[in-house]
Amino acid sequence: AGETTDVTLADLPLRDDLRGRSPYGAPQLDVPVRLNTNENPYPPPAALVDDVTDAVREAARELHRYPDRDAVALRRDLAAYLTTATGVPLTEGHLWAANGSNEILQQLLQAFGGPGRSALGFEPSYSMHPIISAGTRTEWVPAPRRDDFSLDAVAAAELVAERAPDVVFVTSPNNPTGGSVPLADLEHILRAAPGLVVVDEAYAEFSSQPSAVRLLAKYPATLVVSRTMSKAFAFAGGRLGYLAAAPAVVDALQLVRLPYHLSVVTQAAARAALRHADATLGSVATLAAERDRVAEALRGLGFAPVPSDANFILFGRFTDAATAWRSYVDSGVLIRDVGIPGHLRVSIGTPDENDAFLAASKEVPR
Ligand code: PMP
C-alpha cells in the first residue's frame, strides 16, 4: 500500500466542525429494483433522447468557449414552464438555475446563511438541509413536527419568531414523510419569519396543493421557492435545479455562484428536456395513482403508510428498520432507511417494481 492510503481523515487539518460528521449516503447498490432515491422510474421517451442528443451535438461546437454565465435562455424556458404550471406570470429575472436544487440550496446558504447565522428546519425532513448548513457554517436549528409528521403551523410560526433564524426551510411535499403544507400554513410562517423562507418544492408536480410560487408577490423580500428537474421531469442524471424568487434574490446569488457553473452541455440538455415536458410529466398521474395503490396494499398487509402527496411513501412499523431494510435488499428491492425508528421509505416505481416491493413486504420481518 502506498503512503497516501495510510493517511486518514483524523490526520488531515480538517475544519473542527466537520470532524466526526457523515456524508450524504444513499447507498447505490446494484439490485434489480431500485426504489430508494425518489427518481422517476420511467426513462426519457425516445424523442427526448434524440432532441437532447442533437442539442448536445450542436452545443459541442462551442465547447472551446465558456457557457452563458447567466444561463438566460434556460431561465426563460424554466420561467415559461413555471408560469404554465402555477398560473403566476414569471420571467427569467425571477428564475435562477444550478446543478441540482442541492446547489441552489447551497448558494442560498452561502448568501443568506454562514458563520454567525442560523437555519431552521422541521424534522424529519430532507437530510441535505442540515448538511449544507454545516458545509456553509450556518448553525442548524432543528424544529419538531407533530407525532404524525404533519406541520403545526401555529407552533412553527411561534418558534420561528422566537429563534429568528436567517433561513427557514419548509419542504412541501416533505421528504421523507410525504405531506404537503397548505398555503395558509405557509403564510403563518412567512408572517413570523424575519429572514428568508425557502420552500423546497422538489416534489411539487406530484402534489395536490398549489405551489408557494403563488405567494411570491405577497412576500417578495423573504420567499424563495426551490424546484428541481430530478423528480417528475425524469432528469436526475442531468442535474438541473432552479428557484423562483424576486429578482433581487437572483442578484444576491450571483455574488456567491461560481462563474460558468452550468456547463454548455447541461444548459443545452435541460432546454431540450424542457421541450418535452408534456411527455415526461405525463407519468405524474400514473405515479400518483400507483402511490395510492401501493399505500392501500401496504394498509392491507397491516402496515401504516404515512399519507403522501409525493412519489414515495414512508411506512411502518418495524421492530428494527435496519433488519427489515436488509431483508428487502436480500429480496432484490432497494428502499431507504431514513433513520426514523420503525419506518422505511419506498419510492414509487413502475407497476412491476411496485409489485416486487409489495411481494417482498409480505415476507419482511416486522
Ligand atoms: N430537495 C428535496 C426535498 C429532495 O428530496 C431532493 C433530492 N432527494 C433535493 C432537494 C435535491 O435534488 P436535486 O439536487 O437532484 O435537485
Side-chain angles (χ1 to χ4, degrees), residues 43 65 141 176 179 240:
R65 300 292 183 192
V141 182
L240 204 288

mmCIF file of all heavy atoms in Angstrom, residues 43 65 141 176 179 240:
data_model
loop_
_atom_site.group_PDB
_atom_site.id
_atom_site.type_symbol
_atom_site.label_atom_id
_atom_site.label_comp_id
_atom_site.label_asym_id
_atom_site.label_seq_id
_atom_site.Cartn_x
_atom_site.Cartn_y
_atom_site.Cartn_z
ATOM 1 N N PRO A 43 -37.827 5.878 -18.015
ATOM 2 C CA PRO A 43 -36.739 6.522 -18.740
ATOM 3 C C PRO A 43 -37.305 7.553 -19.719
ATOM 4 O O PRO A 43 -38.478 7.478 -20.100
ATOM 5 C CB PRO A 43 -36.047 5.372 -19.480
ATOM 6 C CG PRO A 43 -37.008 4.246 -19.485
ATOM 7 C CD PRO A 43 -37.962 4.456 -18.345
ATOM 8 N N ARG A 65 -15.517 27.509 -25.816
ATOM 9 C CA ARG A 65 -15.932 28.752 -25.162
ATOM 10 C C ARG A 65 -16.645 28.446 -23.852
ATOM 11 O O ARG A 65 -17.310 27.419 -23.726
ATOM 12 C CB ARG A 65 -16.910 29.526 -26.068
ATOM 13 C CG ARG A 65 -16.367 29.911 -27.408
ATOM 14 C CD ARG A 65 -15.286 30.953 -27.288
ATOM 15 N NE ARG A 65 -14.811 31.383 -28.594
ATOM 16 C CZ ARG A 65 -13.700 32.117 -28.776
ATOM 17 N NH1 ARG A 65 -12.956 32.479 -27.744
ATOM 18 N NH2 ARG A 65 -13.341 32.472 -29.984
ATOM 19 N N VAL A 141 -30.808 24.753 13.351
ATOM 20 C CA VAL A 141 -31.785 24.755 14.436
ATOM 21 C C VAL A 141 -32.881 23.749 14.093
ATOM 22 O O VAL A 141 -33.745 24.024 13.257
ATOM 23 C CB VAL A 141 -32.409 26.161 14.634
ATOM 24 C CG1 VAL A 141 -33.389 26.152 15.799
ATOM 25 C CG2 VAL A 141 -31.325 27.217 14.829
ATOM 26 N N PRO A 176 -38.724 12.943 4.210
ATOM 27 C CA PRO A 176 -39.224 11.669 3.705
ATOM 28 C C PRO A 176 -40.660 11.326 4.089
ATOM 29 O O PRO A 176 -41.056 10.179 3.911
ATOM 30 C CB PRO A 176 -38.278 10.687 4.397
ATOM 31 C CG PRO A 176 -38.073 11.291 5.762
ATOM 32 C CD PRO A 176 -38.089 12.778 5.546
ATOM 33 N N GLY A 179 -46.060 14.584 3.264
ATOM 34 C CA GLY A 179 -47.165 15.533 3.358
ATOM 35 C C GLY A 179 -46.816 16.911 2.792
ATOM 36 O O GLY A 179 -45.665 17.332 2.822
ATOM 37 N N LEU A 240 -30.258 19.433 -12.804
ATOM 38 C CA LEU A 240 -30.765 20.785 -13.034
ATOM 39 C C LEU A 240 -31.819 21.126 -11.982
ATOM 40 O O LEU A 240 -32.887 20.523 -11.949
ATOM 41 C CB LEU A 240 -31.344 20.911 -14.452
ATOM 42 C CG LEU A 240 -31.386 22.320 -15.067
ATOM 43 C CD1 LEU A 240 -32.452 23.221 -14.429
ATOM 44 C CD2 LEU A 240 -30.023 23.020 -15.005
#
